[in-house]
Amino acid sequence: MDHIQAAKEIVRRHCEAFDEATDDQLEEIGGKSLSDRFFWRGMHPFYEIEGAASVIQTFWRPLRRSLTSLQRREDIFFAGENDVDGGASVWTCSMGHFMGLFDNDWLGIPATGRMAFLRYAEFFKIENDEIVESAFFCDLIGLMHQAGCYPLPPMTGSNFVYPGPRTHDGLQFGPVTPDETIATLALVNRMIEDLSSINHMDDYLCPPDLLARTWHDDMIWYGPCGIGASYTITRYQEQHQYPFRLNLTDKTYNGHVARIAEGKYCGFFGWSNLRNRNKGGFLGLPAAQESAEMRIVDIYRRHEDKLAENWVFIDLPHYLAQQGLDVFARLKELRRLPA
């Protein structure tokens, strides 16, 4: 699997140089590893951007001006052949937090002058020793929560600075036994099939034993801020799965752009993964007439023959905007309210 190792080295070199560069050096560093046809996908309000220079100008420079002394605190890194296209492409997956001093407002989120953690997941596609595509998800609502201007109803789960893997083995820089990779990917695909089989049954409360086929009883689901994290199958169902199943209807699964595994880790993202329609109540929204798309990242850790941990990113600002709720406009209103 020399090509997997080569892809990891390309991405690691790029990220190390990019993270340590000054603002004036970013285009130069990007030009060494990012393709001339580099294509970037980002959260609302950024969306799709072509060209490294445009991504740097639109996203990275404003972020670095806001979160000064920025550090990448990586918890998971792995790579693999894309299961979606039969292994024709190779992607890497990185997950953790960007940590900095929140010194200047960003996207209308008020600076605090204190440490802030921006939770992220980043995928890179490598072709001919270049990075040609990327998808960058981050928890903007989580940053609002840290700044004291949370724009949504109370969460059903808990929100905090999520840890990396319990086993502390998420940074897979070296080669991994292929058998482990095969087992992890097969398990995740089996889990997807189980859940897909009941997606059309809106009022069907998934029994715990269906999840227990592929999940440990003490599983941890680290959901996006707005939903929160849950621990154990029972609490996960109570705090996320059942509200999701009962308050959303007309679910359509669109598939993934990339789904990769290496060792005991697997990750995927979609653009979008699925569509659904809010029947009323989910995230405090009223009933909707039209469906809305959800762009989602899932990253998993397998322990023995079942899944143990799952880190989830959902572009909730985009999902909410499709239904008439602009969280950034609401943020402005919250900031105008008297203390």
Side-chain angles (χ1 to χ4, degrees), residues 40-44 46-48 134-137 271 295 315:
W40 186 87
R41 300 173 177 89
M43 305 274 290
H44 173 90
F46 302 103
Y47 294 95
E48 300 173 0
S134 176
F136 187 91
F137 285 69
W271 202 257
R295 295 169 175 169
D315 190 349

Side-chain angles (χ1 to χ4, degrees), residues 91-103:
W91 292 72
T92 64
C93 175
S94 171
M95 190 208 78
H97 295 83
F98 279 96
M99 183 197 78
L101 296 171
F102 199 175
D103 285 340

